[in-house]
Amino acid sequence: MADSRPDTLVRAARPAAEGAAFSPLYRQIKALLVQSLDRGEWKPGELIPSEIDLAARFQVSQGTVRKAVDELAAEHMLLRRQGKGTFVATHHEARVRYRFLRLAPDEGTEAGRAESRILECRRLRAPAEIARALDVRAGEAIITIRRMLFMNQAPTVVDDIWLPGASFRGLTLELLSASKAPLYGLFESEFGVSMVRADEKLRAVAATPEIAGLLQVEAGTPLLQVDRVSYTYGDRPMEVRRGVYLTDHYHYRNSLN
């Protein structure tokens, strides 16, 4: 049930207004909306309250709410649908499904059909480097996944993925193999984990014999390695991923503003 009392907002706003580090009111509303998303008040794919209702809930103007919602939409946490309202973004949504995959064909505008194949899923103790990235203790239980991505039936990407075991209890090879949902969509529906942003580092590498065998190329073939840390609400790391991309017919595309 919506809390119509403005106490939380007032307490948050007063120190900001009085202190040196001023936070605009719409940013405070944005933070409260993210807290509601994080608590699961509105699930992925669900309609959130109207701007009028949110303005009444937080005791602010509709314009302030609109600015907060606009920023969350720009960050792909919310999706606006003309004439229908604003919805919580979900990786089941077609235009969000491959938001973190920036692989584009060298010719034409369509990347073609992408198919995922899970090769491995097992539990292990977190190595120190992975533990630091996931903000867990070294030796804590994590889950590792290896999967391949095929573009137009050709092996194109090998992903090694590490997840915190505590957040993904029950994730098995059988569950992954049986699921028809995109991987991040499965994380949403089965484990309540929404990936909302990611940081990446790119470098050129040579194919190891193992990776070369999977991608059906010669060992030493130039590949693009993409190291990613994905975060849920509140900037909590939930995934470490290392992907190696075969780029003979594809390139990594990004837009900079």
Side-chain angles (χ1 to χ4, degrees):
M1 184 175 68
D3 183 359
S4 60
R5 295 173 301 172
D7 300 4
T8 302
L9 180 61
V10 170
R11 285 196 299 268
R14 188 170 293 135
E18 294 171 356
F22 175 75
S23 176
L25 187 55
Y26 81 91
R27 285 282 173 86
Q28 297 173 45
I29 300 302
K30 177 184 175 184
L32 293 174
L33 291 173
V34 170
Q35 288 175 15
S36 292
L37 292 169
D38 193 16
R39 291 195 302 265
E41 182 176 346
W42 310 305
K43 305 294 184 186
E46 286 186 354
L47 179 70
I48 71 167
S50 69
E51 291 176 358
I52 293 175
D53 290 339
L54 290 172
R57 171 177 175 169
F58 297 125
Q59 297 292 287
V60 296
S61 71
Q62 189 177 342
T64 298
V65 170
R66 182 177 299 116
K67 195 166 183 179
V69 170
D70 282 345
E71 280 207 358
L72 292 173
E75 294 169 9
H76 304 284
M77 292 191 202
L78 298 175
L79 289 175
R80 291 190 182 278
R81 292 179 183 160
Q82 188 66 35
K84 295 183 178 179
T86 303
F87 295 77
V88 182
T90 169
H91 286 275
H92 290 283
E93 179 87 16
R95 55 178 158 158
V96 177
R97 181 172 298 184
Y98 297 112
R99 176 162 63 93
F100 292 170
L101 179 63
R102 301 301 177 92
L103 203 62
D106 290 337
E107 298 180 3
T109 56
E110 295 295 328
R113 185 179 178 185
E115 297 179 1
S116 177
R117 182 182 303 167
I118 304 298
L119 304 182
E120 180 181 295
C121 176
R122 58 193 177 91
R123 297 181 73 86
L124 51 82
R125 298 295 176 184
E129 181 182 2
I130 299 298
R132 282 194 299 272
L134 287 175
D135 197 21
V136 300
R137 293 189 301 273
E140 191 168 318
I142 61 170
I143 295 172
T144 181
I145 299 167
R146 171 166 281 186
R147 77 157 186 180
M148 289 189 64
L149 192 66
F150 294 78
M151 306 297 289
N152 292 321
Q153 300 183 326
T156 307
V157 181
V158 179
D159 279 326
D160 286 306
I161 299 166
W162 296 270
L163 306 166
S167 299
F168 291 90
R169 290 188 179 92
L171 182 60
T172 63
L173 179 61
E174 292 72 23
L175 178 61
L176 288 165
S177 300
S179 174
K180 302 301 182 184
L183 195 58
Y184 285 172
L186 175 70
F187 293 169
E188 282 179 4
S189 2
E190 295 293 328
F191 302 97
V193 175
S194 297
M195 302 297 187
V196 298
R197 77 169 190 88
D199 288 333
E200 291 186 333
K201 296 179 181 178
L202 283 67
R203 58 168 52 91
V205 297
T208 64
E210 180 184 17
I211 295 297
L214 292 172
L215 292 176
Q216 299 176 18
V217 296
E218 296 291 331
T221 296
L223 301 173
L224 179 66
Q225 178 176 298
V226 181
D227 291 315
R228 176 194 300 172
V229 179
S230 299
Y231 299 84
T232 190
Y233 303 114
D235 262 357
R236 298 195 305 276
M238 280 289 167
E239 178 200 53
V240 174
R241 179 182 300 215
R242 170 164 291 176
V244 283
Y245 293 56
L246 183 60
T247 57
D248 50 354
H249 300 298
Y250 295 88
H251 59 272
Y252 197 89
R253 181 179 61 191
N254 206 355
S255 297
L256 302 177
N257 294 324

